[in-house]
Amino acid sequence: ACAAGNESKNVDAIPHYPSSYDLDNIIAVASISCTNTLSEFSCYGTNSVDIAAPGEDIVSTGWTYTKADTFYTSLSGTSMATPHVAGAMTLLQEYYPGDVYQQTIQRILLNGADEAALKDYLATGKRLDLYGAVTSPIPPSPVVTASAGTFDDFVEIGWKPVGGAKYYQVWRRWSEAPEEELRLISDWTENCVVTDRTAEVKTGYHYYVKCSNHEDGASASPLSSVRPGTAKRRSSPLGRPPRTSS
């Protein structure tokens, strides 16, 4: 979690580091007041700043050069907002130990509280909602693996169960291009392994999975990151010829 900065600027136009690094392990945090509006000093950006948290008049420890001991004081800044998000992420990692860091971040961003006053300033338009993140009505995307078929024209797609999710849906397309049409391979299932038997031999595909807490797919996660898979045919180690295409 990185503070977005206190220069009241649009960091989409004038980056602030390290929060503006384009890395998937960073959440850029803005500051809001007790009225859930953007703090006057907070940087913002609908592409570069992810979420907001309380950052005004926060009680914290202080230190001075002339008085070499600590004390409590009231401070304001995006550096006061950021620890709220860092603490929430730590709690989520304890609550969902099977999550990788991308899933922890998704739980924070997907389940924040919508604030109309933040819509034009942040990528999500949301403030931190710890209860929402822990209960995760919208689960994070699965982390998907795809292995090539060995003797048949199939690809096996698998993933670890997502905490709080029960049903999964599998899609594929020819390339990563967003305009490429997605094809549904498996509708909502409780299985964490699906076999695509419609794959053509020696043809590469890109597979995606989304998950939901509901059998009808309500409040589904975003599509997972792409995972390539190819159906291949190889000689049998027992000397049997490979099966022909159906």
Side-chain angles (χ1 to χ4, degrees):
C2 293
N6 302 323
E7 295 81 30
S8 305
K9 67 183 182 182
N10 184 346
V11 293
D12 289 347
I14 308 173
H16 172 274
Y17 295 103
S19 62
S20 292
Y21 282 119
D22 186 16
L23 300 173
D24 68 356
N25 62 347
I26 285 180
I27 299 182
V29 184
S31 170
I32 53 174
S33 68
C34 61
T35 61
N36 295 327
T37 56
L38 191 73
S39 299
E40 289 186 3
F41 54 78
S42 181
C43 289
Y44 56 91
T46 54
N47 292 321
S48 305
V49 183
D50 299 303
I51 200 165
E56 291 190 29
D57 301 321
I58 305 300
V59 175
S60 181
T61 54
W63 185 86
T64 65
Y65 289 103
T66 57
K67 187 177 180 181
D69 59 1
T70 57
F71 55 92
Y72 288 101
T73 186
S74 178
L75 299 172
S76 297
T78 53
S79 292
M80 293 292 101
T82 303
H84 289 85
V85 176
M89 293 175 66
T90 301
L91 181 62
L92 285 170
Q93 288 173 336
E94 181 75 19
Y95 202 82
Y96 296 105
D99 280 5
V100 296
Y101 70 87
Q102 295 98 327
Q103 292 174 310
T104 301
I105 290 173
Q106 278 196 353
R107 289 189 194 274
I108 294 281
L109 301 184
L110 292 172
N111 297 290
D114 290 312
E115 294 290 346
L118 301 177
K119 181 180 178 182
D120 295 330
Y121 294 100
L122 307 178
T124 62
K126 298 179 179 183
R127 61 171 170 82
L128 176 67
D129 180 352
L130 180 55
Y131 179 79
V134 170
T135 57
S136 290
I138 303 176
S141 304
V143 178
V144 182
T145 59
S147 57
T150 305
F151 303 119
D152 293 293
D153 46 349
F154 70 86
V155 177
E156 187 175 87
I157 306 98
W159 55 91
K160 291 183 179 180
V162 175
K166 187 176 181 181
Y167 302 98
Y168 302 89
Q169 190 181 55
V170 181
W171 298 79
R172 83 169 191 218
R173 58 185 170 199
W174 298 100
S175 72
E176 294 185 64
E179 63 272 14
E180 186 75 42
E181 182 179 359
L182 283 162
R183 175 176 176 178
L184 180 65
I185 300 302
S186 175
D187 211 353
W188 298 107
T189 175
E190 295 185 45
N191 297 324
C192 288
V193 176
V194 167
T195 300
D196 179 10
R197 295 193 179 278
T198 65
E200 297 180 15
V201 175
K202 297 183 179 179
T203 301
Y205 299 98
H206 293 81
Y207 290 91
Y208 307 80
V209 180
K210 62 171 62 175
C211 61
S212 174
N213 300 320
H214 307 281
E215 190 174 7
D216 62 359
S219 300
S221 74
L223 286 171
S224 67
S225 298
V226 63
R227 183 65 59 174
T230 305
K232 295 180 180 178
R233 183 159 298 145
R234 301 173 183 169
S235 298
S236 166
L238 300 180
R240 295 192 298 267
R243 289 165 55 182
T244 57
S245 301
S246 56

